[in-house]
């Protein structure tokens, strides 16, 4: 498989992490999303939404949406349960991640670090409050179990880990959430865990480069 990737994207990092843990060989195509690499006609044919990651499975066979990619790659492994209820619980957290984690701490980290928002902006305050609420939900859930779903480490943990482990970069204090912090350590202790998430480069700053975000 071939992965169209952006090094500073945690949506891409979650796919790189799963590929490493499943020891799946792949070709990485590194894109600079702030230098127009996702704005070409060729990229638009692979993903009209012009976002990374994109997984190429063959000619004209492209998978977009990071969590769909996780589900595809993990099929048949311990990281995606076969049992119907357990699998639905994994889906629950994949959906929660996109609906509650990404727009709050993920979006806030990106906008603060790249100068699109400052800490006191109303939008930043709103996202921070949402981040704290989201960490509270995770903390309460994890105070009674080791992993998010199916009583074991799954792609749900990989997906939720990707943006939550850098909540501090969004100015969110995660220290009160002790069950969440213990879960982060358990995720980091899994075999073949790796972290190659890079900081945003200078051209990610507002008005410094090209992107769907402007
Ligand atoms: N829901 C999508 C979101 C993907 C997304 O927003 N990717 C960002 C990087 S995190 C991107 O490639 N943006 C392109 C741009 O800014 O031009 C997913 O999970 O794959």
């Amino acid at each position: 498989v071939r992965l169209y990737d952006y090094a500073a994207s945690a949506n891409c990092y979650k796919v790189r992490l799963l590929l490493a843990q499943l020891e799946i060989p792949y070709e990485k195509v590194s894109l600079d999303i702030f230098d127009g690499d996702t704005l070409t006609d060729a990229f638009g044919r692979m993903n009209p939404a012009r976002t990374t990651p994109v997984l190429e499975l063959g000619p004209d066979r492209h998978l977009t949406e990071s969590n769909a990619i996780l589900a595809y790659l993990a099929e048949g492994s311990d990281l995606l349960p076969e049992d119907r209820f357990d699998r639905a619980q994994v889906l629950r957290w994949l959906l929660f991640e996109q609906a509650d984690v990404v727009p709050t701490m993920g979006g806030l980290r990106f906008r603060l670090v790249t100068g699109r928002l400052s800490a006191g902006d109303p939008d930043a305050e709103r996202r921070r409050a949402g981040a704290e609420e989201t960490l509270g939900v995770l903390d309460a859930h994890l105070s009674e179990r080791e992993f998010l779903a199916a009583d074991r480490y799954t792609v749900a943990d990989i997906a939720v880990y990707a943006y939550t482990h850098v909540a501090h970069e969004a100015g969110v204090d995660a220290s009160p959430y002790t069950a969440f912090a213990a879960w982060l350590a358990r995720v980091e202790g899994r075999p073949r865990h790796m972290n190659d998430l890079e900081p945003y480069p200078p051209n990610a700053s507002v008005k410094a480069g090209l992107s769907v975000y402007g």
Side-chain angles (χ1 to χ4, degrees):
V1 296
R2 180 179 286 154
L3 177 67
Y4 291 87
D5 180 72
Y6 181 61
S9 159
N11 280 318
C12 294
Y13 164 57
K14 60 175 85 145
V15 178
R16 301 196 298 269
L17 175 56
L18 177 64
L19 285 163
Q21 290 193 304
L22 292 179
E23 297 183 293
I24 298 174
Y26 69 103
E27 180 192 340
K28 182 164 70 181
V29 179
S30 298
L31 301 181
D32 185 347
I33 65 174
F34 296 98
D35 194 29
D37 289 354
T38 52
L39 304 178
T40 64
D41 290 345
F43 192 86
R45 279 191 292 278
M46 289 194 292
N47 181 9
R50 301 192 181 280
T51 55
T52 55
V54 176
L55 190 72
E56 187 171 273
L57 300 163
D60 298 323
R61 202 163 145 78
H62 295 101
L63 196 52
T64 67
E65 289 298 327
S66 55
N67 289 350
I69 295 172
L70 295 187
Y72 175 86
L73 290 171
E75 183 71 46
S77 79
D78 280 353
L79 300 188
L80 187 64
E82 267 182 42
D83 175 82
R84 185 179 181 180
F85 183 75
D86 286 347
R87 183 177 278 240
Q89 290 298 334
V90 169
L91 282 178
R92 166 200 175 185
W93 291 104
L94 295 182
L95 294 166
F96 175 86
E97 192 264 345
Q98 288 287 296
D100 292 274
V101 174
V102 173
T104 58
M105 56 203 102
L108 182 57
R109 167 178 167 265
F110 168 66
R111 285 167 179 78
L112 286 180
V113 170
T114 63
R116 286 168 172 81
L117 280 181
S118 2
D121 289 345
D123 187 28
E125 300 283 7
R126 186 182 58 79
R127 287 176 194 264
R128 187 172 309 104
E132 285 165 2
E133 198 179 320
T134 298
L135 288 177
V137 170
L138 288 169
D139 194 60
H141 186 73
L142 289 163
S143 66
E144 290 171 10
R145 46 184 72 70
E146 293 215 326
F147 294 106
L148 286 170
D151 294 324
R152 64 185 205 241
Y153 179 69
T154 68
V155 288
D157 300 290
I158 292 179
V160 172
Y161 176 82
Y163 281 102
T164 58
H165 86 284
V166 282
H168 56 280
E169 292 179 16
V172 178
D173 177 15
S175 58
Y177 307 99
T178 53
F180 163 77
W183 167 82
L184 283 185
R186 280 194 292 278
V187 170
E188 287 162 4
R190 298 299 302 173
R192 293 181 295 282
H193 180 82
M194 64 87 183
N195 195 336
D196 62 357
L197 181 65
E198 289 192 8
Y200 285 105
N203 76 341
S205 294
V206 64
K207 297 198 174 85
L210 295 165
S211 126
V212 295
Y213 296 109

